Amino acid sequence: MKPTCFFLISLCLFFCKPSPKVSFPVPEVPSKPNIIWIVIDSLRGDVIGRYGVTPELEKFSKTSYVFANHLVNAAWTRPSTLVFFTGKYASRNPVNFWDYPAPKNEVTAFYESELFPLPKLLSQNGLNTVMVGNNPFVTDKNGLGVNVGFQTLHEYSHLSNDTPQITKKSLEVIASFSETKKPFFFFLNFNDPHKPYTPPAGFRERIKSDEIMEERKRDYLGEVAYVDEELSVIFDSLKKNGLWDNTCIIITADHGEVMHPEHAISPFTGTNTFFGHGQDLFLENISVPLLIKFPNQTTSAVLKNRTRSIDLYPTILELLGMEKKSGLDGESLFPIIRGEETKKRLYYGETRSTQGIGIENDFLLQRSYRFHELGRFWEGGVGRETFYFYDVSKDPEQIHPIRFLDISEIKNSELANDKKTRIESLWSRIRLTEPTLTRYTIRLNPGQFKKGTLKAVAQVNVGRVRILKKNTNPALEISQTERQLTVLWNSDKYKQFEGKPQDSEVIFEVYPDVTFPSFHLFQNDLEITNGHLGAGSFDLTPVGCSLNCGTLYDSPIGSPIPANETRLQVWRSGNNKKEYVRSDKLETDAVNILRKQGYIQ
């Protein structure tokens, strides 16, 4: 077997042994159990039980539920952590996952729109919420993340040798939990085995494998062995403090790590991501362990149903007997645990330049510009968006894709009808699941203008204009280039403008949504500059506006009343309306944190 084979094959060598069918609860869970959520950064799904470096995790698995087909919905730490704490896809919150800075306008928008991040919600419901670890994205103090509501936070990303400090502080926190006897939510985040891989002396020697492997992989596995030993210290402390039996312990990772040479250069970003992550949604990048031990649990069960990181938030709510929140993308894991679920859960993921969808063994990955942001990594051009289809039952390492640029290529291909149907289904589902972009509507009102031409123009400097609804009114001529949409009314051709107001409307979007378009109205090729533009539901004239003018174009109460005078009316709608200025720069401390963690060179 190749060393980087799809994790289910290798993972099942250890986990998919016959085990008794276990139904929840095992035994009855206390009304308000304690919860410890442990994240081991970059831990691939095929490591546990395979290289001899995870004895503690293997021991833990014998008294826990093992979810052997678990995928994260984002491929690097910040978006993945926000998926954990919102139960929603990364694009459902305003914080970008394209670049490292979290601009102030994104952070503010997060606080305004995300009212119930998990730590904040649990704090409001009487739990003592504490974070210990290396994750600079759970605080807004360094320009890298947002405050998700922990009452107490011990964050060690500024340290190079952080793991000993994380363990030491965790032992202090566990002792305090034992003294206060108040229900708690403890989020413990180890950065190891995240690169750069620098295991302490002696841990590489614990590897037991005949595999010929790169030195980087040996270092990676050495760090896994190191963290595994630290877990034994944490677990011993829980037992000594009388917290083991009445605590739910969740162990998972925020993403995997790319180790297959065929994936070294991401086909989505063009970036070298060998022994890295965040540049694709290949299974080795999104397949991670998920182990859950409930209070008083003494037996194990291996569950092969597909699960997703969006499912952990609603699972914790159900565990605590709390009301399910509306608007979540995830579903509780309890129906799977109880053996009640018969459906197949859909996988949808997002990361830089990539969208992915998965149904059972079929995966469709798309090179995407949808999440791009202007800056040093992208200057505004939109190129071809290639699709890659994989049947991982036949191609577990995802190295032999069916490539296409448009779904029509599949419809007209010589592929078997069954495969065509499967690919077309994935393509449709990714379109239904992906976030919608802001929509703009322009309405051209000739008014009393009877002779010559009127021309409305919408223009962008970056990205691409895409028409969503092209009006069929014969009184209008509609044309576009990549960055300009033109609507023309010609009196020589049409003596009168007939029909309902919506007959003169054209709907379009800017792809990606990184800039606000400019709008112009020309009469006989001369631009009308005084009061010709009506913005938003209230048909305002945005003359003199210079800051956040896009909000004038919003349509909270629907389309404006048609104007009687010659006028261009414009409004925007959708849930993803945003500001487009991203001027925040990373401070020196933030740059040093990212450099220590191997994010930047």
Side-chain angles (χ1 to χ4, degrees), residues 37 39 81 84-85 130-132 135 150 185-189:
W37 185 337
V39 170
T81 301
F84 288 159
F85 291 153
V130 180
M131 182 271 184
V132 176
N135 187 333
F150 284 104
F185 173 71
F186 178 23
F187 185 70
L188 172 56
N189 200 152

Side-chain angles (χ1 to χ4, degrees), residues 3 34 46 51 143 170 220 250 292 300 328 332 341 354 374 400 403 425 446 448 460 487 527 532 559 570:
N34 306 310
D46 61 355
Y51 296 99
S170 294
Y220 170 87
I250 301 169
I292 300 179
S300 66
L328 300 183
S332 171
E341 184 154 304
T354 319
L374 286 170
H400 301 295
R403 295 182 180 88
S425 175
Q448 301 304 310
V460 295
V487 181
E527 185 170 7
H532 73 283
S559 60
V570 180

Side-chain angles (χ1 to χ4, degrees), residues 70-83:
H70 184 68
L71 308 178
V72 290
N73 298 93
W76 64 282
T77 301
R78 184 169 71 202
S80 196
T81 301
L82 291 181
V83 167

Side-chain angles (χ1 to χ4, degrees), residues 510-523:
V510 180
Y511 180 81
D513 187 16
V514 295
T515 186
F516 191 82
S518 61
F519 299 96
H520 308 273
L521 180 61
F522 297 85
Q523 177 178 321

Side-chain angles (χ1 to χ4, degrees), residues 383-399:
R384 290 185 168 186
E385 297 183 314
T386 308
F387 292 84
Y388 301 80
F389 170 77
Y390 301 90
D391 178 350
V392 297
S393 67
K394 299 177 180 177
D395 180 19
E397 295 180 318
Q398 295 181 288
I399 57 176

Side-chain angles (χ1 to χ4, degrees), residues 115-288:
L115 303 180
F116 303 106
L118 186 63
K120 178 180 178 181
L121 178 64
L122 299 185
S123 297
Q124 293 171 343
N125 282 270
L127 276 75
N128 181 13
T129 59
V130 180
M131 182 271 184
V132 176
N134 181 336
N135 187 333
F137 305 117
V138 295
T139 172
D140 58 11
K141 293 183 179 179
N142 48 36
L144 293 173
V146 292
N147 183 337
V148 291
F150 284 104
Q151 292 170 318
T152 307
L153 189 143
H154 305 281
E155 207 284 308
Y156 293 96
S157 59
H158 60 286
L159 298 179
S160 296
N161 190 21
D162 55 284
T163 299
Q165 296 302 319
I166 291 171
T167 300
K168 179 182 178 182
K169 178 56 68 174
S170 294
L171 299 182
E172 295 174 7
V173 168
I174 290 170
S176 71
F177 289 151
S178 178
E179 293 174 2
T180 59
K181 302 186 184 304
K182 180 181 179 181
F184 60 81
F185 173 71
F186 178 23
F187 185 70
L188 172 56
N189 200 152
F190 286 105
N191 190 54
D192 292 333
H194 192 288
K195 67 177 185 181
Y197 315 126
T198 54
F203 285 95
R204 280 173 37 124
E205 286 66 39
R206 299 188 182 188
I207 301 171
K208 298 175 183 178
S209 174
D210 295 329
E211 178 185 314
I212 299 174
M213 62 180 72
E214 274 212 20
E215 289 302 300
R216 280 179 292 183
K217 187 167 183 177
R218 289 193 174 277
D219 288 337
Y220 170 87
L221 292 174
E223 286 202 347
V224 173
Y226 178 36
V227 172
D228 188 81
E229 184 167 285
E230 297 299 288
L231 287 178
S232 69
V233 177
I234 300 295
F235 293 161
D236 286 344
S237 178
L238 288 170
K239 293 170 184 175
K240 289 177 182 178
N241 284 278
L243 298 173
W244 182 260
D245 290 334
N246 63 346
T247 298
C248 174
I249 302 176
I250 301 169
I251 301 177
T252 190
D254 50 351
H255 52 76
E257 200 82 331
V258 172
M259 295 185 183
H260 199 298
E262 291 288 335
H263 300 157
I265 304 298
S266 167
F268 307 97
T269 65
T271 302
N272 186 334
T273 189
F274 202 33
F275 288 89
H277 51 268
Q279 309 292 331
D280 61 63
L281 292 170
F282 290 121
L283 285 165
E284 62 175 344
N285 212 347
I286 60 174
S287 300
V288 302

